[in-house]
Amino acid sequence: MVTRKLAAVAAALLTGTLSLTACSTGSSGGGSSDPGDSQLNKVLKAGELRVAVLPDFPPWAVQKADGSFEGYEIDIAHELADSLGVKLKLVSTDGDSRLPMLQSNRVDVNVSAWTSTNERAQTAGFTIPYDAHGAGVLFKKGADITSYQDLAGKSVSVARGSTNDTILTNDFPSAKPVRFDAISDVISAVKTGKVDAALESSYTVAQAAKSDPELEAISNPPLDPQLVSMGVLPGDQVWINYLNNFIRNLIASGEDNKLHEKWLGEPLASIVSVQGNAA
């Protein structure tokens, strides 16, 4: 596990012994670059870390019938809480609720497969990436789909407001989007025949195809690979600095790669793993 010595780094940040690598001004609903006002200080004082996670995005994160969570990002959230020496509270979110949950102070950080696009970075604060993934296509066996181009004219389910929604809209204008709030509904729509295909994370569709003999996923390389980062309020550079430090150590220790292989079945992308090697 990532060592609890990171908690000492947090204390150093709060006393100003570590300099900020960058300063950003606050915005409406934003955080603070003042160590005393930072979410990091609030987490340490409260003794609890509130992490927004997706409840229906296996193998990244899923909420089981007993209410508990499991998955790649759930393990990362546990590592993060352990590094701070605080208790962990997992809070369910969806694509549209990530930023509002931060702004209303219901969570301290998002570890929710949030791709750090330039558009999103205009309103949210993002860390360095801890993973990268692209989109895949899921469909029923026997469907007239062998390549991404075959989505033309077909009904395709996506999570509302997600990067996959953007990919479908921009790259496949003749496809017919069917939008759902929950990722589980996106996948279910294919199983029940409501849509011809689903566009979701390549890892998610691969797992769905593996677990259901009636489903199949396009085997081509993922569409539009993007970086995945933790998301916080903009302007809270102290909190972002700590999270960046945590992620670098998670990668450098090999723990991130270990968790990635455990849940997603393959090593971290080199574009992510190089961060830890350079740390």
Side-chain angles (χ1 to χ4, degrees):
M1 298 179 73
V2 175
T3 175
R4 293 198 181 203
K5 289 183 179 179
L6 283 174
V9 176
L13 282 169
L14 292 175
T15 57
T17 56
L18 290 181
S19 62
L20 298 180
T21 58
C23 287
S24 58
T25 59
S27 60
S28 178
S32 171
S33 59
D34 182 339
D37 293 336
S38 171
Q39 205 67 25
L40 172 60
N41 189 39
K42 295 173 184 177
V43 167
L44 293 174
K45 283 186 175 181
E48 180 180 73
L49 176 70
R50 302 165 300 168
V51 180
V53 295
L54 296 171
D56 56 354
F57 195 44
W60 296 65
V62 65
Q63 188 169 22
K64 300 189 293 183
D66 63 1
S68 62
F69 291 83
E70 67 176 14
Y72 168 62
E73 292 186 318
I74 304 305
D75 283 358
I76 289 179
H78 279 285
E79 294 281 356
L80 178 57
D82 182 70
S83 78
L84 291 160
V86 299
K87 295 180 180 179
L88 175 64
K89 180 180 180 180
L90 298 171
V91 183
S92 294
T93 188
D94 58 35
D96 287 337
S97 300
R98 289 170 172 137
L99 185 56
M101 291 184 77
L102 289 167
Q103 292 170 330
S104 60
N105 195 33
R106 285 178 285 170
V107 297
D108 304 302
V109 60
N110 269 270
V111 185
S112 53
W114 211 356
T115 51
S116 46
T117 65
N118 291 336
E119 181 181 7
R120 287 172 173 169
Q122 295 174 30
T123 55
F126 286 104
T127 65
I128 60 173
Y130 58 88
D131 201 5
H133 70 142
V137 174
L138 183 72
F139 53 92
K140 277 193 172 183
K141 288 182 177 178
D144 184 24
I145 299 175
T146 57
S147 69
Y148 295 127
Q149 287 69 34
D150 293 330
L151 294 181
K154 292 184 171 59
S155 58
V156 183
S157 58
V158 290
R160 193 185 318 277
S162 66
T163 51
N164 300 310
D165 192 351
T166 302
I167 291 170
L168 185 66
T169 301
N170 294 342
D171 297 351
F172 303 96
S174 63
K176 303 170 185 176
V178 180
R179 297 177 173 89
F180 295 93
D181 292 325
I183 296 171
S184 57
D185 292 337
V186 172
I187 304 301
S188 178
V190 177
K191 295 181 178 181
T192 57
K194 291 181 179 179
V195 296
D196 298 313
L199 188 66
E200 248 309 329
S201 164
S202 58
Y203 294 115
T204 300
V205 301
Q207 185 178 78
K210 184 178 180 180
S211 62
D212 190 331
E214 294 186 356
L215 299 179
E216 190 172 352
I218 290 179
S219 58
N220 293 353
L223 284 166
D224 197 18
Q226 297 194 39
L227 300 173
V228 179
S229 301
M230 295 183 186
V232 299
L233 286 174
D236 194 346
Q237 195 61 47
V238 173
W239 188 211
I240 291 174
N241 284 349
Y242 180 81
L243 295 172
N244 283 343
N245 198 66
F246 165 79
I247 292 169
R248 289 191 190 97
N249 282 305
L250 190 74
I251 296 170
S253 68
E255 189 65 21
D256 195 4
N257 189 71
K258 177 182 176 181
L259 295 177
H260 199 274
E261 289 186 330
K262 170 187 174 182
W263 289 104
L264 286 83
E266 58 184 69
L268 278 172
S270 58
I271 194 173
V272 176
S273 60
V274 70
Q275 297 173 120
N277 294 331

